[in-house]
């Protein structure tokens, strides 16, 4: 059985479906800080049964010991974290406490339970402002905000642990920009308040919930002047986790891979693709750059193919079509 921390969240819920599709049994642990319990109802038909769920915090050793005692867990996928870059600047201690203490408590509980296989959600944010693109895993690492530091610090903790206790099997997966939704339209990204990220903002403009998109910067050294990113369909990303588990089962040690498409997409490319998928206009206005943003960031995904036998299968049009189906359902449900 697999323990999925943060499994009711955006990436965790989609990975739950991918695990079920691959025949893995799993239990979700989530404190519902940034997700809703009703995700479990919507996951039930997608997973073939309602997932086992424990409401609890990864920082709570007693809860973790109880979960490891109750379920025959052999591996953990650790999504549980706070992830808003701007908020991390306002509340650094909350981010360090949740993301680092949470991971330490989890690792200690895994050791007590003799479970030594972990897949960790890292981020392309650990590359800071990359000197060139595409980004390879051996590029220099840096952070520009507390959220990024938590990812970098946990990566270091995992490297040190792997060195001192070689029986561990650890994957550090560096996600590029996860977007889209499950093709059923039943689960997706559900940010509370004003979305920080591009795709959910564009989706809310298309559905008429917000009047226009603000494009942060039109003077970057990119083909159309707007920021370029590597958007990856969340179901491709989810399947990358199943591939990582399979790889760890074959080979112990520390695995560090980018999960991305290898393609750069600008903000205006995204607007055009979303307009096409939704058949709705996405009005926009170019405003100042957002502090801390980089011009271009996309992955070299070759190592993931080599080590995991995994590559993305869904293109930008499908990312937009699936995000649109989810967004339209959300709007209908709350109407
Ligand atoms: P999310 O907020 O949707 O999911 C995270 C889940 O963890 C939420 O359901 C939340 O309630 C839960 N959680 C938070 N702290 C917890 C705690 N202490 N105990 C138990 N549960 C807790 O975020 P997501 O987009 O699904 O991200 C999942 C992981 O991937 C995170 O570690 C995030 O940092 C990482 N990541 C996300 C992105 C992205 O753009 N979405 C990119 C790179 C990396
Ligand atoms: C994408 C592009 C913006 C919103 C962030 C985190 C990163 C990772 C993923 C977790 C950029 C532009 C955006 C808007 C815009 N998260 N944009 N108008 O910044 O690449 O990455 O999420 O690990 O750590 O920093 O993603 O979706 O915010 O922005 O013009 O309203 O869209 O400037 O070029 P980003 P994003």
């Amino acid at each position: 059985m697999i323990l999925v921390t943060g499994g009711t969240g955006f990436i965790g819920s989609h990975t739950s479906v991918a695990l079920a599709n691959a025949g893995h049994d799993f239990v979700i642990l989530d404190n519902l800080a940034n997700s809703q319990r009703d995700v479990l109802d919507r996951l039930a038909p997608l997973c073939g049964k309602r997932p086992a769920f424990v409401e609890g915090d990864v920082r709570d050793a007693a809860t973790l010991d109880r979960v490891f005692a109750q379920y025959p867990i052999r591996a953990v996928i650790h999504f549980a974290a706070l992830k808003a870059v701007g908020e991390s600047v306002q509340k650094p201690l909350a981010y360090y406490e949740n993301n680092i203490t949470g991971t330490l408590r989890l690792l200690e509980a895994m050791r007590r339970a003799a479970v030594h296989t972990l897949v960790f959600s890292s981020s392309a944010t650990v590359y800071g402002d990359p000197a060139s693109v595409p980004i390879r895993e051996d590029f220099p690492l840096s952070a520009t905000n507390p959220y990024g530091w938590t990812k970098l610090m946990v990566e270091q903790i995992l490297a040190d642990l792997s060195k001192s206790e070689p029986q561990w099997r650890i994957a550090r997966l560096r996600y590029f920009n996860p977007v889209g939704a499950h093709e059923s339209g039943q689960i997706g990204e559900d940010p509370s308040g004003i979305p920080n990220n591009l795709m959910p903002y564009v989706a809310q403009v298309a559905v008429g919930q917000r009047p226009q998109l603000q494009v942060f910067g039109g003077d970057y050294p990119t083909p159309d002047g707007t920021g370029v990113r590597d958007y990856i369909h969340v179901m491709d990303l989810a399947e990358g986790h199943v591939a990582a588990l399979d790889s760890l089962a074959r080979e112990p040690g520390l695995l560090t891979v980018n999960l991305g498409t290898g393609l750069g997409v600008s903000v205006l490319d995204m607007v055009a693709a979303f307009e096409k998928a939704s058949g709705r206009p996405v009005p926009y206005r170019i405003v100042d750059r957002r502090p801390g943003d980089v011009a271009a960031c996309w992955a070299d995904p070759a190592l993931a193919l080599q080590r995991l036998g995994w590559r993305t299968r869904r293109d930008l049009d499908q990312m937009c079509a699936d995000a649109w189906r989810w967004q339209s359902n959300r709007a209908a449900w709350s109407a």
Side-chain angles (χ1 to χ4, degrees), residues 117-263:
T117 302
L118 176 78
V119 176
F120 172 66
S121 301
S122 189
S123 167
T125 193
V126 300
Y127 296 114
D129 193 351
S132 64
V133 277
I135 301 172
R136 278 198 324 268
E137 288 81 354
D138 59 0
F139 274 28
L141 305 178
S142 67
T144 52
N145 55 71
Y147 168 74
W149 277 113
T150 69
K151 293 296 172 192
L152 214 45
M153 288 176 181
V154 170
E155 281 211 2
Q156 185 62 43
I157 290 167
L158 296 176
D160 292 340
L161 177 63
S162 165
K163 210 178 286 171
S164 71
E165 299 179 18
Q167 70 271 35
W168 283 82
R169 297 165 188 257
I170 297 175
R172 305 184 300 184
L173 303 183
R174 296 179 178 156
Y175 313 157
F176 280 69
N177 288 58
V179 297
H182 187 263
E183 53 266 18
S184 65
Q186 292 301 304
I187 54 170
E189 189 171 12
D190 199 7
S192 50
I194 301 172
N196 297 307
N197 295 114
L198 179 64
M199 168 79 93
Y201 203 106
V202 167
Q204 292 191 4
V205 173
V207 85
Q209 208 173 316
R210 299 188 188 277
Q212 67 175 191
L213 171 72
Q214 302 198 3
V215 176
F216 299 141
D219 58 353
Y220 282 109
T222 58
D224 66 17
T226 66
V228 170
R229 297 291 183 273
D230 185 338
Y231 298 96
I232 172 173
H233 194 294
V234 64
M235 283 309 298
D236 277 330
L237 184 68
E239 288 161 7
H241 292 72
V242 178
L245 279 178
D246 291 345
S247 163
L248 292 179
R250 291 190 301 269
E251 261 182 278
L254 181 67
L255 172 73
T256 307
V257 289
N258 290 337
L259 295 184
T261 65
L263 298 172

Side-chain angles (χ1 to χ4, degrees), residues 17-91:
V17 177
L19 286 170
N21 287 344
H24 291 291
D25 204 4
F26 60 93
V27 52
I28 291 173
L29 172 70
D30 201 299
N31 66 359
L32 303 177
N34 195 38
S35 54
Q36 308 285 331
R37 187 183 290 274
D38 72 348
V39 169
L40 298 163
D41 302 327
R42 289 181 273 117
L43 276 175
L46 305 180
C47 294
K49 66 173 184 186
R50 195 183 161 85
F53 175 66
V54 176
E55 182 175 349
D57 199 297
V58 287
R59 291 166 294 181
D60 181 12
T63 299
L64 289 171
D65 286 345
R66 187 162 55 79
V67 171
F68 282 107
Q70 192 179 345
Y71 297 95
I73 292 163
R74 60 174 182 83
V76 179
I77 308 182
H78 179 38
F79 294 107
L82 299 176
K83 64 161 182 177
V85 170
E87 188 185 54
S88 81
V89 177
Q90 308 302 320
K91 301 178 181 172

Side-chain angles (χ1 to χ4, degrees), residues 225-308:
T226 66
V228 170
R229 297 291 183 273
D230 185 338
Y231 298 96
I232 172 173
H233 194 294
V234 64
M235 283 309 298
D236 277 330
L237 184 68
E239 288 161 7
H241 292 72
V242 178
L245 279 178
D246 291 345
S247 163
L248 292 179
R250 291 190 301 269
E251 261 182 278
L254 181 67
L255 172 73
T256 307
V257 289
N258 290 337
L259 295 184
T261 65
L263 298 172
V265 168
S266 76
V267 177
L268 297 184
D269 293 336
M270 176 64 87
V271 167
F274 210 94
E275 286 183 329
K276 186 173 127 200
S278 64
R280 302 281 185 93
V282 176
Y284 68 84
R285 185 165 61 96
I286 295 183
V287 300
D288 286 348
R289 293 180 180 189
R290 183 171 64 178
D293 273 358
V294 303
C297 171
W298 72 86
D300 180 337
L303 191 66
L305 181 59
Q306 186 195 323
R307 297 292 304 272
L308 309 181

